Amino acid sequence: MRSWREFTRVCVPLRGAEGAARRPDGEPLMPPMPPMLTGLLLVVFLVHLVAFALLGLKRRQAYYLALVITFSLLSASMALRLTAPEAILANGVAWHEALRMLAWPAAAVSVGWTLLRLRIRIAARRG
């Protein structure tokens, strides 16, 4: 069994100067995302952000807040990836990666809320 220090040294990605996740030998874990794909994802996330913000305002339901936060974080992440990919936090993590990591809990809340609403809707139809 490996020690925790040995495990984290091997498994936790190391960050290079440009913030890309790297293996212990210095090679990137994944090739960089092409700018065209980043731009396409930015457009997709912005469209979702606007749509859910408008729905939330129209329907006045707090449910849409988690979606708006998720797509705001993802949009900001892609915009930073396009405009300032070298922007690094003090701990060596790229800003665009930090924003993407923050989007995970918001997405989890959104999915949980969606499942809860679906369950309530199904229960209301049955009973």
Side-chain angles (χ1 to χ4, degrees):
M1 177 136 202
R2 291 183 171 172
S3 71
W4 176 252
R5 184 176 301 265
E6 190 177 41
F7 175 79
T8 57
R9 185 179 54 78
V10 172
C11 297
V12 174
L14 303 174
R15 307 279 171 199
E18 69 283 350
R22 299 195 170 273
R23 296 191 310 240
D25 63 1
E27 290 297 314
L29 286 177
M30 296 173 54
M33 187 182 299
M36 187 166 176
L37 178 59
T38 305
L40 177 65
L41 286 173
L42 176 59
V43 169
V44 168
F45 293 151
L46 286 172
V47 167
H48 281 80
L49 172 62
V50 170
F52 287 126
L54 292 175
L55 275 173
L57 290 172
K58 180 181 176 186
R59 296 182 181 174
R60 301 273 186 222
Q61 292 182 351
Y63 159 75
Y64 292 99
L65 184 59
L67 291 166
V68 168
I69 290 171
T70 300
F71 285 109
S72 295
L73 290 167
L74 290 171
S75 298
S77 174
M78 290 301 120
L80 271 173
R81 187 183 283 256
L82 278 175
T83 59
E86 68 284 347
I88 306 291
L89 291 169
N91 62 358
V93 176
W95 266 102
H96 63 86
E97 287 182 5
L99 290 171
R100 194 185 62 205
M101 286 181 228
L102 286 172
W104 277 100
V109 168
S110 177
V111 169
W113 215 334
T114 301
L115 293 174
L116 179 64
R117 288 178 47 158
L118 182 62
R119 184 175 177 189
I120 291 169
R121 192 177 304 158
I122 290 170
R125 285 184 191 161
R126 288 185 184 166

